[in-house]
Structures are given as structure tokens and as C-alpha cells.
Amino acid sequence: MKDITFNKTRLAATISVLLGAGIAPLSIAQEAEPVADDIEIIQVKGIRGSLARSMDIKREGNGVVDAISAEEMGKFPDTNLAESLQRITGVTVSRSNGEGSQITVRGFGPSFNLMTLNGRQMPGTGNSRSYNLENLSSAGVSALEVYKTARAEYPSGGIGATVNIVTTQPLASPGLKYSVSGKGIRDTSNVEGDAVTPEIAGLYSNTFADNTIGVAISLSHQGRDFQQQSANVPGWQADQGTGGLTGDNAIDLRGVDAEGEKLGHTYFPRQISYDIADVQRTRTNGQVTLQYAPTDAMTFSLDYTRTEAETATETRGFGIWFNWGGNLTNYQLDENGTAINFTETANDYAHSVGANTFLVEAESVGFNFDWQLTDNIHVEFDYHDSSNATDSGGDKGTGNAGSVIIAPNNILTKTYDYSTGEIPNFAMTWPDGAAEASPNDFDPLFGQFSVSTGESTVEQYQFHSEWVNPDDGFLANIKLGAARTEQTFGGSGTGSGNIGPNGYNGNQAVFPDSMFTRQGTGSLLDALDGGGADLTTNYYYTFDFAETVARMVNYFDSVPLNPFDSELSSTSSGGVTEETTSVYLQSALYFELADMPVDINLGLRYEKTDVTSDVIQRVEDQIVWSNPTEWQLRYQPGGAQDVSFLGEHDVTLPSIDIKVEVTDDIIARMSMGKTITRAPLGNLIGIRSLSGAPKPGSRTGSQGNTNLQPFESTNFDFSVEYYYGDASYISLGYFEKDVVNFITTTNETITVDGLTDPLIGPRATQAISDLVTASGDPSFVPADGAVWQQIIDNGGGAFDDITGNTIVFQNSSDPLVEWVVSQPSNGDARSVDGIEFAVQHMFGETGFGSGFNFTLVDGDVKYDVDSFESQSPLVGLSDSANFQVFYEKDGLSVKVTYAWRDNYLIGVGQAQGSAEAPPQFGKEYAQTDISVNYDVSDELTVFFEGINITNETEQGYGRYEEQFLFARQYGPRYALGARYTF
């Protein structure tokens, strides 16, 4: 695919630089003119060369294009591709395990951006449209191209941007070239793993038979051992009651109405925990490219890419659960109704241990035939078959992801406090004035085991053709193409439910004291204000996961050896297949206006997509109230059902790019066009899912809509760029995106035949009456746990073969449970606009250089934190800025980079949030990295890298910043290594 430009001298230099760097041809054509055979091509390597090549791509491109180029063969600016992309104006990253993982472009989150590999549409990671970049090594990557405006010839799917990953093509850079590098990684957070882990990479490229045969091979392997420490509140519940407290025990700073009634809502956290995860992560990447050019006009290419990533995690945590209502003894609410401090009675000091191994396997096989049929006609055929699969059951011992919760259940009071520090604290009091929990009071609660898998695949045929006008004229070229793409997404999940005794029943004999080791919190969360030794509860116990499970299995006959072989286990699977046929027509026009060269690209793309969703799920059987605080949804043995849902859509996507060379150094651009992103997979899958732990206030569910139409964005861009020196420029741009078919989630209250509610049935009514009578206070409101116990005391319980305890089952006299089920639908129209500014400056021949950019984004797509209505906000919207400064001279290069991102919406819905689907926000984040390289010789370089050297932490919150959700601490990591290049 070749774009037409007409600045011959600058273009020739640009192509020479690009070819010298081993980057695939940039698809640029020029008028033929004689070129001397003996011209020497000088390759500029290093940071300055990378920035110069990236600038040239931006300058010569049509539309708004940005790029990151390799500094030299085998050396990308960052070892993580997402971290590299965030250097581009308007691109921000979200992180996983302290590494850049997914990108947001111009406020549009990961699912709104399309990833391509050498122009081929790539599948998302697992059952997803979002591509996780941390799984792909930068070894073998020559450039990252970010196309922010619409072009008819590109595959559809990226409203934010289309990001093309360009890999090494041997025939584009003839001759023998290779690069080998190795480094040791020291992650300062690591406790249990190896102190230093390796990363090795190799890249080989060579041509044979007079440069008609080319081979390129890249291999890399990385190991990383680290520890994640975190504080977590999994969700906030709205309007659950305040226990009828008054006076000094009920401080409420909310405003009041004319009648003196409090305004707004109340919010309490569901639980709080501090957690430690020891992680061992490995990533292996490989790519092989074979090329054959029997003539100068014809090239055959065959390539294979594979990625394997394994993340093994052992977790331990400790915390407390909250019940509100009759358990509250005091509280303090702020002006928004958020609980800042409160105390409850009873319950447990829960400890959890778990283990899981998460696998990612991705591979792609591609074939390309490129033929310059005549001097004026070019054709290209491309085929690839790609997949990206995930599996949470990669543990070789268990084959599943598991966790167990045990605890002493004799707390007198427990207090939550978020009045000081960056993380909430909790405190407890114990019987007989004890200062802390005792190991001999630990009782088993339950275990949970699960396996989830997902896979996304793309099989794609693409045909491109181009006619280039042999004569100077208004019409420069015409492009015509077609594609057939079949994209599938599928996933399945099996969960055991809560198995084991599922309640505290005086079973402390299960675990001997010798199983426990007391730990202090001196280094836990110490990068956060209020963490470490300052934590109010500054101790916890550790114990072995495998031993804990074994002791529970040996002690309780009700614990199945196969955790998925019970009425509590649920299995569901669902998938979506999208079959898209597309055609496009595109042309380039050239003329001069007032002596200013003008390039215009016009395009039109049409696509038709058929959507099929197939789902299999188990049938719900009954609800049980298994202990004072736990509920279970149980399923019928077998009884899975298979259902298909159908949908379709078609779109027409016009585009126009106008580029005006105002002077030799000033370029003005204007682009207009339409782009799409198809609906999220979770919304398209027709499966219905009900909460597996249907506590009051958490009886929710969801159901998909296979006929959802794609998001459609009408885009406008205008920018001015001033190229004033070698690798130096200033750019200022404005963009606007008007998006229709935004997806709104609507809630509907339903009942399901056979699922009834023992909490409001006649047994519960009698139990409440008995408790009120016993209290002597007609206004007394008994806690749910007390009602559960009274039902059993009244003979309303029954023995449960699964848990081995007497519990409360539903019965036919209970009314049907009401479920709040959400379903997505199209409807809303929203707008986003913003400003992008970038400056890149080289300080002459001093060796110093710098770059700075920022993006300001706004729109009517923000989440309204004060509203309980269903909303369709834009995930990821935030301002951002990046800065880098470097020195590079006489074989020494030093680079410092700084990336900042403002507060942003992570998503809607919290794991233990209430039914109105409260939001999750990420706090602003800034990270500083450093790299130092020294050339020992022309071939050998030694280097040092520092990532997150200021030890920044990741933090999140709910509707308001006072509604703490998480804080994660990783620590800086450093690497020392060497690279040999020939």
C-alpha cells in the first residue's frame, strides 16, 4: 500500500534512513528520477536517529500519524511496547503487574484501539478485543506506527487509533545483521523469588542468492520475580442502613432538606484487606520470517510469530468483613455520605491463601504475495491465521486457581478508619482484653476453586491493488481492495462455589497452632503514607495453602476431592463469531494552491458483519442461606443448555485527508472521516449470569445482546506542524469525535421460576417477631445473622449434605427472589474533543535533546458520580503528558523519561459493589524511568535501566476519592546488561 507524496529530495533521504534501520517500507511512492548507484547511505543510530526517523514518518505521512522507531537493530526505546507507546502524544497506558499493558488513545480505552502486526488485524488477549502488550517483546520490532485518523485501506475497529507493529523484514535491509543481548533484572519488591532474573534476546537477519532470499529470526526470553503488595476494598454498598444510631454515635455531615431530612445517599465498604502476591512471570517470544524475491517486482513472504507468557502467583491476605445494620455501634459520614470511620460488632479476622498460574499463548501464521505487475500497477495478497488464548488453570499441580479462607470468629468489635494516610486502617478488640487474635481460635470458613479460559482468533484474507498515474496530473493514484475476516471470541468458566464447612462451627481442631507463623507489617505497604509499621493492625498470620486444603479435606467428609463435582459448582461457556466482508476505494489527488503543494486522499470503505453467539450454561436449582453472612446459588446436576443468538450490522466509512505544505518547513493538515469499534464481547454474548453469592443487596445478574450495533465515530482533525531543524519540530493539533450508538446498560427486575427467598418468607417473619419480642423494643431491627439463627432455633433449618451443617434452605412458601438484571442496548450519542501539543528539540551538536508533549481531552462522556441512573461513560478518558531528556555523544547515552496520567475511569461496576454498578477510578499516576548506554566498541554496548525509580504506587477509588478501592505497591526495578550488534 503506497501513499503518494511529492517532496522528492526529502523523501529520498527519508527512505534511505528507513531502509538503513531495517524498517519495513513505509509504503511511499515517488516520481521516478535518476539516482546514482554509488550514493552512500549513512545510518544514524541511537536515540537521536530513532527520533529523527519517527519525525520523518510523521512529516511524510498523510493524516495524523505518529511513530516510535528502533534506536538500532535489536534495541527498542523500551523493553515493553506499551511503555514505548505512551511516549506518543495522546497515548496513555494502563498497567498490569507494574508493567504497561493496554493503551488508551485520545481518551478511548483499550477496546477502542485496533492492533495490527505488519498490517494484519490481531486478536485481542483471551476472550477480549483488548490486546495486552506486556506479552510481546520488543525484540524484532522495528517500529510502532499510530494512525489516529481514518483511512479506507486500513482494517476497521480503532476509534481511538490503529497501532501497527512493524517487524524486521530481511529483504528490506540486505546483508548479514545480528544482535544478541542479555541482562539481569533486579526487582526491589522481590521476596520469595530469585534475586536476579534473566532476559535474553537475539535477532538474526541475512539475505542469500544475490539478495533474493531473506531470513530473519528473533527470539527472546524474560523472567521476572516480584511481589505485589496491596490494600483492597472490593466494593462499596449504597443505602444499606445505619442501624438507627443517634447522637454522638451517628456523625453525619450531609446536608439536609427543608424538613431536616438528610440529603443524598450513604456508602459503606463491604470489606477491607491487605494482600501480598509473590509472582514469578516468564515471557518467551519468537518470530521467523522467510522471503523470496524471484524478480525485482515480486516478493513472497512467510512468517510465524509465537508468544508464551506464564504468571504464577501465590497470595496471602488478611482483613475484615462488614455487615452494617444492627451490627453498627457508631459511624462518621462525610459530606457525600461516605463512611470515613465506623465500628461494628462481631464477625471474623479473615485470612486467605491461594495459588494460581495464568497462561497466555498467542501465535500467528501469515503469507504475503507482493507484485509490481507493471510500472503503474501494484497488487498484494495477504493471509493470516492468528490466535490468542488464556487459561487460569495453568497450575501443574491442581489445574485450577484456588483460595481458602480461615479465621478466628470471636471479634468483639471492628473499626474502619480512613481519616489519615493514603490507605484505610482497621482495628479489632478481642475477648478477655486480648491484644490480638490467637492461632488456636482459627476456624475454617470455605474454599473456592475455579478455571476460566478464553480465546480470540482472526482468520483474514486481504487483497490490495494500486494504479499509479504515470503522468503528472491531478489524479495521482487509485487504490482498490477487499477483505474477508472471521473473528471468533470464546470463553468458559467453571467455579466450585463456596465449599467446605461454609461457616464457623467450632472446628478449631482442624488446624494446629504449629501451622501458623506470626508476621509483622514493618515493610508491608511502606511506600504509602500510613502503611508499614504505622498500620493499626500491624500483624497477621501466614500458613501453607496446600497444607490448609489437605487438612480441610481430611477433616470434613463434605469437602469434595474434586471441587467442581458438587451442586455448588457452576459451568458456563459462551462465544461470538463475527464474519466481516469489506471493500474499499481510495485515491490520492495532487495540485498546487497559491504555490503551496496540496495532497488529498479520498477513501470509502464498506463492511458487512454477521454475528453469532453460542452459549452453554448450567440451570439454576435453589438458593440456600448457608450461614449468618453467606448465601449460595446452587445448580441442577447436569442440565446444561445450548442456545444461539444472531445479529448483524453494516457500515459505510468515508475518509478525507488534506495535507498542505504551507512552506518548506510548515505543514497543515485536516482530516475528516468515520471510524467504528464493535461492541464489547461481554455485551454480545447472550448468556445470562446470576450472582453465585446472592446476599441481600447483591442479587444481581446480567444478560447480553448479540444484535448490538458498533460504536460509530465521526472524526475531525486539524493540526499545524513546524519542522525547524534536524530532528526538531513543534506540533499543535485539535481533534473532535462525535460517537453514536454508545451502549447503555438498563436494569430490569426479574424473577426466576424455582428460586425463592427465605429472608422474607414466613419463617423469617416469625423469627423477626420472636427477636423483637425478646428485645422488649418494638422498634428493634434484628440483624440478618440473628434472623438466620432464630429460624434454625425455631426448627426451620435442615441438615445440608454438602456443608455438613444445619442451614436454611429455600422452600415453596417463600416468595420468589427479585434479581436486578442488566442488559446493554444502543442509544446514546456522545462527543469527545481535545488538544495535542508536542515539541521535540535537539540542542545542536551538544549531544543533548528533549521532547515534551501533552494532551487535554474533554467531552460529555464522563461518569456522573452523583447519579444512580444507568450510564454509558467512556473508559480511560484523561489528560496526559510525557517528557524526556537525553544526552548522547561519544558512545555514551543517558535518557530520563517521565510519563503522567490524570485521574481516569477504569470501569463501571465493583466486585462487591451494590446493584447500581458504581464506578472504579484510577488516581493520577506519574512514572520516571532512566536508561544509560555506553558503547565499548562499535559492536558492544553495555547498559543500565531503571524502571519506576521513584517507587510510585497505583491507587483507585469509587464514586468519590474517599471511597478507597485499592493501592498497589511494586517498587523500582533495575537491569544491567550488554548487547552485541553486527
Side-chain angles (χ1 to χ4, degrees):
M1 297 180 288
K2 295 182 170 60
D3 299 328
I4 304 299
T5 62
F6 291 85
N7 192 328
K8 304 173 192 174
T9 56
R10 185 185 308 119
L11 180 59
T14 300
I15 293 177
S16 297
V17 171
L18 290 173
L19 292 177
I23 296 176
L26 187 61
S27 301
I28 299 176
Q30 61 172 321
E31 290 182 282
E33 65 177 41
V35 179
D37 294 335
D38 58 353
I39 288 180
E40 180 182 4
I41 296 176
I42 300 175
Q43 179 181 348
V44 181
K45 301 194 298 183
I47 301 171
R48 186 177 184 129
S50 170
L51 294 176
R53 288 188 292 275
S54 299
M55 185 190 78
D56 287 336
I57 292 174
K58 179 181 182 69
R59 181 172 186 164
E60 301 301 336
N62 287 289
V64 180
V65 184
D66 286 290
I68 298 288
S69 171
E71 293 180 9
E72 58 185 86
M73 183 175 179
K75 184 182 185 302
F76 214 68
D78 300 90
T79 57
N80 179 290
L81 294 180
E83 303 285 355
S84 291
L85 282 168
Q86 74 174 338
R87 315 297 178 206
I88 289 178
T89 312
V91 179
T92 56
V93 303
S94 54
R95 288 176 165 78
S96 173
N97 294 323
E99 295 184 65
S101 175
Q102 299 177 334
I103 63 168
T104 294
V105 183
R106 291 179 161 185
F108 287 82
S111 63
F112 287 91
N113 300 297
L114 181 69
M115 290 289 172
T116 63
L117 181 67
N118 297 321
R120 297 164 176 162
Q121 180 178 338
M122 298 305 291
T125 303
N127 189 24
S128 166
R129 294 193 191 277
S130 304
Y131 191 91
N132 290 0
L133 286 162
E134 81 270 18
N135 296 322
L136 186 62
S137 169
S138 62
V141 175
S142 297
L144 296 171
E145 302 167 342
V146 180
Y147 298 91
K148 299 177 182 177
T149 51
R151 293 294 293 275
E153 60 189 312
Y154 301 154
S156 68
I159 285 181
T162 296
V163 179
N164 186 38
I165 303 169
V166 182
T167 60
T168 301
Q169 307 293 310
L171 293 185
S173 182
L176 171 63
K177 298 177 178 65
Y178 63 83
S179 174
V180 179
S181 65
K183 62 184 174 183
I185 303 171
R186 169 64 174 138
D187 200 308
T188 59
S189 69
N190 177 63
V191 175
E192 299 293 333
D194 293 334
V196 178
T197 54
E199 179 173 344
I200 56 175
L203 175 62
Y204 168 86
S205 177
N206 202 0
T207 56
F208 309 90
D210 294 328
N211 298 327
T212 61
I213 297 175
V215 178
I217 302 172
S218 66
L219 297 170
S220 69
H221 177 80
Q222 182 197 70
R224 181 184 168 213
D225 294 350
F226 63 96
Q227 184 178 89
Q228 181 203 77
Q229 300 177 3
S230 62
N232 297 281
V233 172
W236 287 76
Q237 298 273 324
D239 301 328
Q240 296 296 312
T242 53
L245 299 176
T246 59
D248 292 340
N249 291 327
I251 300 174
D252 190 342
L253 302 183
R254 291 177 297 164
V256 296
D257 60 18
E259 286 74 35
E261 298 294 328
K262 291 292 183 180
L263 296 170
H265 304 276
T266 62
Y267 305 94
F268 283 83
R270 198 47 160 141
Q271 71 177 75
I272 179 175
S273 67
Y274 303 141
D275 300 279
I276 301 169
D278 290 304
V279 185
Q280 293 182 316
R281 175 173 164 79
T282 61
R283 181 191 68 197
T284 303
N285 294 125
Q287 184 176 56
V288 178
T289 301
L290 305 176
Q291 290 187 295
Y292 174 54
T295 70
D296 291 341
M298 187 180 298
T299 303
F300 297 87
S301 299
L302 179 67
D303 58 76
Y304 175 75
T305 302
R306 183 171 179 84
T307 295
E308 294 182 1
E310 178 178 291
T311 305
T313 306
E314 294 186 357
T315 60
R316 55 192 181 277
F318 58 100
I320 52 178
W321 180 272
F322 301 114
N323 291 303
W324 326 293
N327 292 64
L328 277 171
T329 62
N330 61 72
Y331 62 83
Q332 178 181 342
L333 308 181
D334 69 3
E335 295 84 352
N336 294 317
T338 299
I340 301 300
N341 183 290
F342 64 93
T343 299
E344 286 186 2
T345 61
N347 282 130
D348 56 62
Y349 180 32
H351 284 59
S352 65
V353 287
N356 70 83
T357 299
F358 189 79
L359 302 177
V360 178
E361 295 184 344
E363 61 181 353
S364 176
V365 177
F367 170 78
N368 182 275
F369 172 61
D370 188 285
W371 188 15
Q372 190 69 39
L373 187 61
T374 70
D375 289 343
N376 309 113
I377 298 177
H378 172 262
V379 295
E380 181 182 357
F381 171 78
D382 190 271
Y383 167 81
H384 77 106
D385 188 355
S386 305
S387 64
N388 201 329
T390 60
D391 182 358
S392 70
D395 187 282
K396 295 180 175 59
T398 65
N400 60 61
S403 64
V404 174
I405 298 178
I406 67 176
N409 188 37
N410 55 342
I411 288 178
L412 296 180
T413 66
K414 55 184 185 291
T415 299
Y416 172 93
D417 183 16
Y418 192 29
S419 59
T420 61
E422 293 181 286
I423 53 178
N425 268 278
F426 64 90
M428 297 162 288
T429 61
W430 301 92
D432 303 321
E436 59 184 55
S438 172
N440 59 25
D441 288 327
F442 272 80
D443 199 7
L445 180 53
F446 58 80
Q448 292 180 330
F449 303 87
S450 65
V451 176
S452 61
T453 61
E455 184 174 25
S456 175
T457 69
V458 172
E459 185 178 18
Q460 185 176 51
Y461 301 84
Q462 296 184 88
F463 172 77
H464 306 282
S465 64
E466 178 186 16
W467 171 79
V468 176
N469 191 344
D471 303 315
D472 291 336
F474 178 72
L475 178 63
N477 74 355
I478 296 176
K479 296 182 180 181
L480 178 67
R484 172 72 174 174
T485 305
E486 180 175 308
Q487 188 165 14
T488 66
F489 310 87
S492 65
T494 299
S496 67
N498 295 348
I499 64 172
N502 203 40
Y504 299 108
N505 301 286
N507 296 311
Q508 288 86 356
V510 179
F511 309 123
D513 289 359
S514 60
M515 194 179 87
F516 299 91
T517 302
R518 185 188 185 280
Q519 306 285 352
T521 63
S523 61
L524 178 63
L525 300 168
D526 57 357
L528 294 151
D529 183 23
D534 293 333
L535 292 172
T536 304
T537 297
N538 58 5
Y539 72 97
Y540 61 100
Y541 292 95
T542 56
F543 44 92
D544 183 71
F545 170 64
E547 179 183 356
T548 305
V549 174
R551 290 185 180 276
M552 290 177 65
V553 170
N554 291 334
Y555 192 88
F556 298 100
D557 293 336
S558 60
V559 178
L561 293 175
N562 180 356
F564 306 114
D565 185 21
S566 77
E567 295 178 14
L568 299 176
S569 65
S570 63
T571 299
S572 62
S573 65
V576 173
T577 299
E578 295 174 336
E579 297 179 343
T580 300
T581 302
S582 59
V583 295
Y584 73 85
L585 178 66
Q586 185 171 294
S587 64
L589 311 176
Y590 171 77
F591 58 93
E592 291 190 356
L593 180 66
D595 294 327
M596 295 184 295
V598 179
D599 286 304
I600 298 179
N601 272 269
L602 300 169
L604 186 68
R605 186 180 186 94
Y606 173 79
E607 297 191 343
K608 185 179 186 306
T609 302
D610 295 314
V611 186
T612 304
S613 173
D614 295 309
V615 300
I616 302 173
Q617 65 184 89
R618 293 185 65 181
V619 179
E620 303 93 353
D621 185 28
Q622 62 176 327
I623 287 177
V624 299
W625 193 357
S626 54
N627 72 47
T629 62
E630 300 296 332
W631 294 70
Q632 298 170 346
L633 175 61
R634 296 186 177 178
Y635 299 85
Q636 297 176 8
Q641 55 186 0
D642 188 350
V643 184
S644 293
F645 303 86
L646 302 177
E648 64 178 12
H649 58 264
D650 66 307
V651 293
T652 301
L653 307 174
S655 62
I656 178 172
D657 293 315
I658 302 174
K659 174 183 174 182
V660 180
E661 193 168 333
V662 181
T663 70
D664 287 344
D665 300 320
I666 297 176
I667 293 176
R669 305 177 191 273
M670 184 176 70
S671 296
M672 294 173 287
K674 181 177 286 187
T675 52
I676 67 167
T677 290
R678 293 179 174 84
L681 298 174
N683 292 338
L684 290 172
I685 296 176
I687 196 169
R688 184 184 72 194
S689 176
L690 301 177
S691 171
K695 300 179 177 68
S698 299
R699 293 165 175 180
T700 59
S702 61
Q703 184 165 330
N705 180 356
T706 306
N707 205 39
L708 285 172
Q709 301 299 292
F711 300 88
E712 294 187 19
S713 178
T714 301
N715 313 307
F716 172 80
D717 282 80
F718 178 78
S719 64
V720 177
E721 301 153 11
Y722 174 40
Y723 298 90
Y724 61 87
D726 179 29
S728 300
Y729 73 93
I730 297 175
S731 173
L732 178 64
Y734 169 81
F735 64 87
E736 181 177 320
K737 295 178 181 290
D738 297 315
V739 185
V740 298
N741 292 336
F742 251 91
I743 296 173
T744 301
T745 300
T746 56
N747 293 326
E748 180 182 1
T749 300
I750 69 168
T751 59
V752 178
D753 289 343
L755 299 183
T756 62
D757 190 353
L759 179 62
I760 57 176
R763 292 172 296 170
T765 301
Q766 182 61 52
I768 293 171
S769 176
D770 294 343
L771 292 168
V772 171
T773 300
S775 73
D777 180 3
S779 64
F780 174 67
V781 179
D784 290 351
V787 174
W788 180 86
Q789 186 62 54
Q790 189 64 42
I791 290 176
I792 291 178
D793 293 344
N794 291 346
F799 182 78
D800 179 28
D801 291 334
I802 293 178
T803 64
N805 302 316
T806 298
I807 65 172
V808 178
F809 288 87
Q810 69 171 54
N811 64 29
S812 58
S813 62
D814 297 326
L816 291 171
V817 172
E818 292 188 342
W819 304 84
V820 179
V821 176
S822 60
Q823 184 174 42
S825 60
N826 294 114
D828 288 359
R830 302 294 179 89
S831 296
V832 173
D833 62 358
I835 295 173
E836 294 181 339
F837 172 80
V839 57
Q840 182 172 293
H841 182 72
M842 304 296 121
F843 294 88
E845 300 302 319
T846 66
F848 286 96
S850 65
F852 170 74
N853 66 68
F854 69 78
T855 303
L856 304 178
V857 188
D858 199 5
D860 57 357
V861 291
K862 299 179 181 178
Y863 188 96
D864 182 356
V865 297
D866 296 317
S867 173
F868 274 41
E869 298 298 321
S870 176
Q871 302 183 48
S872 52
L874 183 60
V875 172
L877 185 76
S878 69
D879 297 336
S880 61
N882 295 278
F883 174 74
Q884 67 174 321
V885 60
F886 70 89
Y887 172 81
E888 185 176 53
K889 197 170 186 179
D890 300 326
L892 174 66
S893 71
V894 181
K895 180 174 66 175
V896 178
T897 58
Y898 173 86
W900 171 83
R901 181 180 191 178
D902 203 359
N903 296 359
Y904 68 100
L905 179 67
I906 298 173
V908 175
Q910 299 169 6
Q912 294 177 2
S914 44
E916 85 283 358
Q920 300 179 54
F921 288 98
K923 280 190 176 182
E924 67 172 313
Y925 181 86
Q927 180 169 305
T928 302
D929 304 330
I930 185 172
S931 67
V932 181
N933 290 258
Y934 178 70
D935 294 335
V936 178
S937 67
D938 289 342
E939 295 82 17
L940 179 62
T941 301
V942 294
F943 59 86
F944 167 81
E945 299 168 349
I947 309 297
N948 188 23
I949 60 176
T950 56
N951 194 17
E952 300 298 324
T953 60
E954 303 169 11
Q955 301 182 44
Y957 59 93
R959 290 182 179 273
Y960 313 101
E961 289 199 26
E962 295 76 15
Q963 294 181 10
F964 176 92
L965 287 178
F966 65 84
R968 301 175 187 136
Q969 172 180 318
Y970 294 95
R973 63 183 184 273
Y974 303 98
L976 182 65
R979 179 175 52 259
Y980 187 87
T981 303
F982 176 77

